[in-house]
Amino acid sequence: MDLNDLHDLRGWLPRALGVAERWGGQFGPYETHDAHRTDPEAFTEAFDRLAKRMDHNYPFFHPRYAGQMVKPPHPAAVTGYLTAMLFNPNNHAAEGGPATTEMEREAVADLAAMFGLAAHVGHLTTSGTMANLEALYVARQLHPDRGIAYSAECHYTHERMCHVLGMEGHRIPADAHGRIDLDALESALRGGRIGTVVVTTGTTGLGAVDPVHEVLPLARQYGARVHVDAAYGGFYAILGRADTGGIDPAPWQAIAACDSVVVDPHKQGLQPYGCGAVLFPDPRAGRHFAHDSPYTYFTDSDLHLGEISLECSRAGAAAAALWLTLQLLPLTPDGFGRILSANRRAALHWSDLITASPDLTLYQRPDLDIVTYFPTTADGSLSSVDAASDRLLRDGMTAEADPVFLSVLRADADAFVRRHPHTVRDAEAARVIRSVLIKPEHEHYLPTLHARVAELAAHARA
């Protein structure tokens, strides 16, 4: 959201207030209670302190921020969220948010169609972590005596959730590109102790896409289910399933045949935190969440969203924000796909620039839009790469003029040497620089960004 977006919001936010005022006016006047009232001068003073504290932030909106996978929400998401937030709906039960419950069903159906699901049951969540927990909970219900297999490069939430659910976790090595190793996976599956295999379409470290199309038949051969963690990369199914943008379609087209999938609209989907989603292609999966409540679910509804969820209260405003966004940016190559295509073009172009640079070395060519690289050092040792990466990161963030904001990824020695065999292995690991080009504005800003990062890299290794 750039300064032009903020200008747009100046027109839309008063209209959001008008929606609540118009709707509320039909119920007649009433006297507000003194307990709610605050002194205007005290409010002003407190707000000024809040505004000052917000100065302590990073410029997530600006392309000079190329660190973590964060960016401001789209103006449509902000407008939708605020409009609904003034009603404060709770999408746990239809009576808590009649309008936003319907919006959630429609938005979730759009997400399911994005993955090619012919049928589905699912809902929004507060995060990918909660969405993955629900998917693994169903995995445990179906195979209570069997564990979960996940790649060493997957999100750490899977190992944690195995502990939460009391399930055995099986950590599978990754191959030289950061994808789940198929030989190691088959070896683990032969033991008969794995009930579900987790694949990731866009790891949060490298953005690597697991070969879903190869894992799926392998898992089925051993009677195992497949769960897709697409929290970060899931929106790339728009390009992958359409076989456009130079993305291998095979992993994305295989998702529809898997048993569950998770995606985070608050990452690539332009939504405010927190907005995740979990989807099951088999609607019968909802039975694993069956429960009753003595004081909810009393209105007519085919299915209350709380009846298919581990979570109870959930903000209906999140559903309104996503719904409104998808009305304007449909999940098609010509809609949302234009954003993703720009992100990936920027990542691939920067990889080419880094490859040609004397000051930087590409760690791994990106599958999606995460670029990993490090300052080229004289001795090529892990310790010197680690020190130079740390200095580049800190010098960029603290520069008074022309700062850049990056992030780091810790690569263990084995993974590093597999990609760069001539590395001097004098440490157990090394940090490399990691840039998530999650904003399409990076495509235009890339020459400026690359020049500045290369300058800092030259200084960092001096």
Side-chain angles (χ1 to χ4, degrees), residues 90-91 93-94 97-106 301 303 305 319:
N90 179 353
N91 275 17
T100 51
T101 290
E102 290 305 313
M103 291 182 202
E104 178 166 343
R105 288 185 178 132
E106 293 171 23
S301 178
L303 185 70
L305 294 172

Side-chain angles (χ1 to χ4, degrees), residues 182-200:
L182 295 174
D183 291 335
L185 175 60
E186 182 167 20
S187 178
L189 285 167
R190 287 195 191 102
R193 294 162 55 193
I194 295 172
T196 296
V197 178
V198 175
V199 289
T200 306

Side-chain angles (χ1 to χ4, degrees), residues 117-121 255-261 279-285:
L117 306 189
H120 73 278
V121 65
I255 292 175
C258 295
D259 299 284
S260 53
V261 58
L279 301 162
F280 299 92
D282 184 353
R284 293 175 299 177

Side-chain angles (χ1 to χ4, degrees), residues 51-65:
K52 182 62 178 176
R53 295 188 74 162
M54 292 305 294
D55 287 343
H56 182 55
N57 254 308
Y58 297 114
F60 301 134
F61 73 96
H62 199 285
R64 70 170 62 244
Y65 182 90

